[in-house]
Amino acid sequence: MIKFDNVSKRYPGGHQALSQVDFELADGEMAFLTGRSGAGKSTLLKLIMLMETTSQGQIFVNGKNLSRMPKHRIPFYRRRIGVVFQDHQLLFDRNVFENVALPLQIEGYPKHEADRRVRAALDKVGLLKKEKMLPITLSGGEQQRIGIARAVVNRPQILLADEPTGNLDPELAAEIMKLFEQFNQVGVSMLIASHDLSLITRLQHRILTLDTGRLILDAHHTAATAQPVGGK
Amino acid sequence: MSKRRRETGAKTSNRTARGALQSHWQQHLKIASDSFKRLLQQPSASLMTIAVIGIALLLPSTLFVSMSNLNALSDSINGASKVTLYLHEEHTEGEALKISEQLLQREDVTTTEYISPAQAAEQFSVYSGLGDVIDALDENPLPGAIIVTPASIDADATQALATELAQLSIVDSMQLDLQWVERLQRFLQLVQRASTGLMLILALAVLFIVGNTIRLAIEGRRAEIVVVKLVGGTNSYVARPFLYAGAYYGLAGSILACILLAILMWAISGPARALLALYDSDFQLRTLGLSSTVFLLLIGTGLGWLGALISVRQHLSNIEP
Ligand SMILES: Nc1ncnc2c1ncn2[C@@H]1O[C@H](COP(=O)(O)OP(=O)(O)OP(=O)(O)O)[C@@H](O)[C@H]1O
Ligand SMILES: [Mg+2]
């Protein structure tokens, strides 16, 4: 589903954020991406979203080489990927409901269908009662959950999440992770960046560990989703 | 790929296809009303832009109305232009009246009027206020005259008629006051050219004003644009509200121009009527008219939309997540 082939990323300032990263995430697989702050987790996810471009190497998503993707295809490509951003990326002049409805609105869903899906997504993250509120009036954890609802509302093939539980208390964090596992069980491929090691080791999924831009560890926990290390 | 997901996927695409058309219009309507609300949210910025557009559109529309009035006026003056035939001194009143009758039979003549030397003297003293001068003279120095109104309003035809009538033996000299009408028409042609050029320049000005306003709006909503693009908004989706805004600005500006023009017309209608009545008593002052008003509104809206489009093309693609 997602394949990194010897990918390096050097930012314009000269900082080497990723060095020769090689891994493959199978269709329907769930994996965590961990590493210390500044290790390059967000950079790796941004490369998949085409928010940044690779300096070296190639990324394939669903068999398509991202560096060859024409500019006008990018929006349609992004629609198939749900993303929870580390910095939330919400619209602060729209209420919770409208924020979550945005991807559906962009895709042109009929209103009743969109409303139904938005409510379902809000219900899953426990924000149904706050749908009329503006994001700015909500707590950090609640804002994060708006981002999660928005990421899953159009049932993407792939879900990327950057510190989705960073602002949540342990109980809520575990709940959100359980929600992610449910999505994974209906076939959504997942890549979740997190440095909450105690939480993610408990969950028994594959863990990719980055250290100053290098992939230093690729640990598989369950036999069902195991891939040979460095496998293509 | 898991079986379960495939099923949900199929169901989804079916549903989307069925509601697609209805939803397309829903989407447009929503964006249209959202961007309208946004204009109302920042009334001062919007009003400034609308005022400038209104004034920029007012100038050419005022010119257009003035031109159409002057054109109509010059036509009616031309139609009213008269040939004055001054008669030899030795003619008798009977002769003159007979000639006058004969001329009236011609196809190219509408009316004739004989003015005897005595009547001429009377008119002279009334209009010039120099009646004493005439009285002081032993003999009336003014000749009799026949005033002929040509049937045609065409300047060339009138000229030909006048030249022909000047050949009559009773006629001493002929006078045709066509020259200033011709000059007026030449002048109007010149103004028409100049105003076409001016209209193009002002249309450009409207494009710039709207373009700049939209550029500022895009800058102000940069963060929002990034978010929309991140969740899969295309350039044209992101552009749509700005295009609507541009069209609204243009429409509001042209409505303002219409209102200002109506006020202007109302303010000058009194004096203008009095002035025009001197030339042509039953001349009607022309307003913009329905079709020209609709045209102005369409042009204004179109220019606003175009200005926004240019701005969007320049600035939107630079904003990438
Ligand atoms: N736009 C940028 N320009 C230049 N350098 C950048 C940019 N974004 C990130 N970096 C650098 O790249 C490195 C990796 O950053 P990244 O955001 O991927 O780390 P991270 O693993 O997500 O960290 P955190 O856990 O704190 O979110 C950092 O050292 C950072 O300074
Ligand atoms: Mg990060």
Side-chain angles (χ1 to χ4, degrees), chain A residues 152-196:
Chain A
V152 301
V153 75
N154 62 349
R155 298 180 194 155
Q157 283 177 286
I158 300 173
L159 192 88
L160 307 177
D162 199 349
E163 301 293 350
T165 58
N167 287 311
L168 306 180
D169 57 76
E171 204 174 316
L172 198 52
E175 231 170 86
I176 292 295
M177 285 300 178
K178 212 177 284 162
L179 181 64
F180 283 160
E181 284 184 319
Q182 281 170 23
F183 283 118
N184 179 238
Q185 273 154 26
V186 295
V188 181
S189 312
M190 301 240 174
L191 189 55
I192 301 165
S194 173
H195 40 219
D196 191 346

Side-chain angles (χ1 to χ4, degrees), chain A residues 27 49-52 71 75-76 78-79 85 89-91 93-94 98 102-103 105-113 116-117 150 155-157 185-189, chain B residues 1-2 4-6 8 12 15-16 18-20 22-24 26-27 30-31 34 38 221 223-235 237 317 320-321:
Chain A
D27 188 6
M49 279 309 279
L50 282 168
M51 293 162 73
E52 297 287 354
K71 248 187 145 182
F76 302 97
R78 285 185 181 142
R79 288 176 193 181
F85 297 95
Q89 300 277 12
L90 302 175
L91 299 177
D93 62 342
R94 303 196 196 177
E98 289 165 329
L102 186 65
Q105 203 188 326
I106 286 170
E107 280 196 71
Y109 274 81
K111 195 175 177 316
H112 57 93
E113 170 84 9
R116 205 180 53 72
R117 285 201 184 194
R150 186 184 64 188
R155 298 180 194 155
Q157 283 177 286
Q185 273 154 26
V186 295
V188 181
S189 312
Chain B
M1 209 179 269
S2 89
R4 276 167 78 185
R5 206 199 47 242
R6 255 189 228 128
T8 30
T12 309
R15 254 185 229 145
T16 316
R18 229 186 300 144
Q22 173 205 8
S23 159
H24 179 77
Q26 269 182 1
Q27 197 181 9
K30 174 148 174 49
I31 294 172
D34 279 356
R38 216 174 274 276
R221 293 171 64 189
E224 178 181 344
I225 291 167
V226 167
V227 173
V228 173
K229 284 195 173 182
L230 276 179
V231 296
T234 54
N235 269 332
Y237 178 85
S317 52
E320 284 295 342

Side-chain angles (χ1 to χ4, degrees), chain B residues 129-256:
Chain B
L130 297 174
D132 295 346
V133 177
I134 300 274
D135 291 344
L137 298 169
D138 295 340
E139 241 178 84
N140 177 4
L142 295 173
I146 298 174
I147 298 171
V148 177
T149 311
S152 161
I153 59 162
D154 178 58
D156 289 336
T158 308
Q159 181 72 54
L161 173 69
T163 320
E164 192 193 329
L165 298 184
Q167 306 303 314
L168 294 170
S169 58
I170 195 175
V171 175
D172 179 35
S173 66
M174 175 274 294
Q175 196 193 326
L176 175 62
D177 259 344
L178 267 181
Q179 225 172 11
W180 77 272
V181 173
E182 250 176 51
R183 278 191 195 141
L184 176 66
Q185 278 174 341
R186 286 279 142 72
F187 174 71
L188 285 180
Q189 277 168 7
L190 188 74
V191 175
Q192 216 144 23
R193 277 280 165 79
S195 61
T196 311
L198 188 68
M199 276 179 213
L200 289 178
I201 292 169
L202 288 166
L204 273 180
V206 171
L207 290 184
F208 280 125
I209 298 156
V210 175
N212 192 51
T213 308
I214 295 299
R215 183 181 64 81
L216 292 175
I218 290 173
E219 283 307 317
R221 293 171 64 189
R222 181 175 270 272
E224 178 181 344
I225 291 167
V226 167
V227 173
V228 173
K229 284 195 173 182
L230 276 179
V231 296
T234 54
N235 269 332
S236 64
Y237 178 85
V238 180
R240 227 168 276 157
F242 296 108
L243 296 181
Y244 273 109
Y248 289 141
Y249 281 132
L251 180 63
S254 43
I255 290 173
L256 180 66

Side-chain angles (χ1 to χ4, degrees), chain A residues 97-142:
Chain A
F97 187 94
E98 289 165 329
N99 264 284
V100 176
L102 186 65
L104 302 178
Q105 203 188 326
I106 286 170
E107 280 196 71
Y109 274 81
K111 195 175 177 316
H112 57 93
E113 170 84 9
D115 287 1
R116 205 180 53 72
R117 285 201 184 194
V118 172
R119 297 238 155 75
L122 282 175
D123 189 32
K124 282 192 189 125
V125 298
L127 281 179
L128 200 49
K129 291 212 173 69
K130 306 210 164 172
E131 62 169 54
K132 290 270 156 49
M133 295 176 75
L134 287 176
I136 203 81
T137 64
L138 299 181
S139 73
E142 285 168 329

Side-chain angles (χ1 to χ4, degrees), chain B residues 206-317:
Chain B
V206 171
L207 290 184
F208 280 125
I209 298 156
V210 175
N212 192 51
T213 308
I214 295 299
R215 183 181 64 81
L216 292 175
I218 290 173
E219 283 307 317
R221 293 171 64 189
R222 181 175 270 272
E224 178 181 344
I225 291 167
V226 167
V227 173
V228 173
K229 284 195 173 182
L230 276 179
V231 296
T234 54
N235 269 332
S236 64
Y237 178 85
V238 180
R240 227 168 276 157
F242 296 108
L243 296 181
Y244 273 109
Y248 289 141
Y249 281 132
L251 180 63
S254 43
I255 290 173
L256 180 66
C258 287
I259 295 170
L260 290 178
L261 186 63
I263 294 173
L264 204 65
M265 293 287 292
W266 172 79
I268 66 162
S269 66
R273 253 185 216 123
L275 179 69
L276 294 175
L278 293 181
Y279 296 93
D280 179 5
S281 52
D282 45 40
F283 184 77
Q284 289 291 315
L285 196 62
R286 295 182 175 205
T287 57
L288 198 51
L290 182 66
S291 62
S292 300
T293 305
V294 172
F295 183 70
L296 176 62
L297 297 182
L298 285 179
I299 287 285
T301 311
L303 282 176
W305 177 82
L306 190 62
L309 183 69
I310 293 169
S311 185
V312 155
R313 279 274 159 83
Q314 273 183 342
H315 304 291
L316 216 51
S317 52

Side-chain angles (χ1 to χ4, degrees), chain A:
Chain A
M1 199 68 189
I2 299 175
K3 183 173 143 194
F4 272 58
D5 186 4
N6 200 24
V7 172
S8 299
K9 171 66 186 176
R10 182 191 283 275
Y11 278 109
H15 185 91
Q16 189 77 28
L18 288 178
S19 307
Q20 296 165 346
V21 174
D22 251 322
F23 75 93
E24 184 167 356
L25 188 79
D27 188 6
E29 190 177 358
M30 179 165 180
F32 289 108
L33 187 61
T34 188
R36 305 187 53 176
S37 179
K41 303 183 293 295
S42 298
T43 302
L44 192 151
L45 296 181
K46 281 177 184 168
L47 287 177
I48 300 174
M49 279 309 279
L50 282 168
M51 293 162 73
E52 297 287 354
T53 50
T54 54
S55 315
Q56 231 178 54
Q58 275 149 356
I59 302 172
F60 297 87
V61 175
N62 231 344
K64 297 250 165 59
N65 187 339
L66 293 194
S67 50
R68 297 239 182 85
M69 185 170 293
K71 248 187 145 182
H72 71 270
R73 293 296 315 164
I74 293 177
F76 302 97
Y77 163 72
R78 285 185 181 142
R79 288 176 193 181
R80 287 186 284 124
I81 303 179
V83 188
V84 183
F85 297 95
Q86 191 166 14
D87 50 357
H88 311 334
Q89 300 277 12
L90 302 175
L91 299 177
F92 287 98
D93 62 342
R94 303 196 196 177
N95 67 28
V96 171
F97 187 94
E98 289 165 329
N99 264 284
V100 176
L102 186 65
L104 302 178
Q105 203 188 326
I106 286 170
E107 280 196 71
Y109 274 81
K111 195 175 177 316
H112 57 93
E113 170 84 9
D115 287 1
R116 205 180 53 72
R117 285 201 184 194
V118 172
R119 297 238 155 75
L122 282 175
D123 189 32
K124 282 192 189 125
V125 298
L127 281 179
L128 200 49
K129 291 212 173 69
K130 306 210 164 172
E131 62 169 54
K132 290 270 156 49
M133 295 176 75
L134 287 176
I136 203 81
T137 64
L138 299 181
S139 73
E142 285 168 329
Q143 290 185 16
Q144 201 147 32
R145 282 184 279 152
I146 303 173
I148 293 168
R150 186 184 64 188
V152 301
V153 75
N154 62 349
R155 298 180 194 155
Q157 283 177 286
I158 300 173
L159 192 88
L160 307 177
D162 199 349
E163 301 293 350
T165 58
N167 287 311
L168 306 180
D169 57 76
E171 204 174 316
L172 198 52
E175 231 170 86
I176 292 295
M177 285 300 178
K178 212 177 284 162
L179 181 64
F180 283 160
E181 284 184 319
Q182 281 170 23
F183 283 118
N184 179 238
Q185 273 154 26
V186 295
V188 181
S189 312
M190 301 240 174
L191 189 55
I192 301 165
S194 173
H195 40 219
D196 191 346
L197 270 175
S198 65
L199 177 65
I200 62 179
T201 43
R202 244 188 296 135
L203 287 170
Q204 307 257 307
H205 291 285
R206 182 179 173 191
I207 299 177
L208 300 161
T209 309
L210 282 172
D211 182 26
T212 56
R214 290 184 181 278
L215 189 59
I216 54 162
L217 199 68
D218 188 350
H220 297 266
H221 281 267
T222 52
T225 55
Q227 294 280 312
V229 177
K232 307 242 156 162

